[in-house]
């Protein structure tokens, strides 16, 4: 199973799409049933982080190869987003 970049990208992107398209709306319905309000009305910062993360992942997975520098870039972007959420 080495050097199966297409399979790894397919699993990662497919899992993210399943969460975005199925679990999030399902949680809104469960919130309505339980009386806990939950909306899909995201703040500007949340939407911006999502947009930038899609651009970064698209850029890094476009060529179908990876190296340590791209992995480091993903880890640092995760750290930046986590730090920003901690202070906002």
């Amino acid at each position: 199973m080495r050097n199966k970049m297409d399979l790894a990208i397919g699993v990662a992107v497919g899992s993210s799409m399943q969460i975005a398209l199925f679990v999030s709306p399902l949680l809104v319905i469960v919130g309505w049933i339980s009386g806990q309000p939950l909306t899909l009305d995201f703040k500007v910062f949340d939407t911006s982080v999502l947009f930038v993360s899609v651009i970064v992942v698209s850029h890094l997975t476009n060529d179908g190869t990876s190296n340590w520098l791209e992995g480091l870039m993903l880890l640092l972007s995760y750290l930046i987003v986590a730090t920003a959420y901690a202070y906002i």
Side-chain angles (χ1 to χ4, degrees):
M1 293 305 274
R2 295 191 66 143
N3 297 325
K4 300 285 185 182
M5 187 68 162
D6 292 337
L7 178 64
I9 291 172
V11 168
V13 173
S15 298
S16 299
M17 286 176 44
Q18 286 176 350
I19 294 294
L21 296 175
F22 178 70
V23 175
S24 298
L26 181 68
L27 288 177
V28 171
I29 293 171
V30 169
W32 286 340
I33 293 171
S34 67
Q36 181 71 22
L38 177 68
T39 65
L40 294 176
D41 183 25
F42 299 113
K43 298 177 184 174
V44 174
F45 180 71
D46 299 335
T47 308
S48 303
V49 166
L50 181 64
F51 179 73
V52 169
S53 66
V54 167
I55 296 296
V56 168
V57 169
S58 173
H59 175 68
L60 291 178
T61 59
N62 197 17
D63 59 357
T65 62
S66 64
N67 56 33
W68 66 272
L69 189 58
E70 290 178 345
L72 180 65
M73 189 166 135
L74 286 173
L75 287 173
L76 289 177
S77 63
Y78 178 75
L79 182 66
I80 290 169
V81 168
T83 306
Y85 270 110
Y87 288 106
I88 288 184

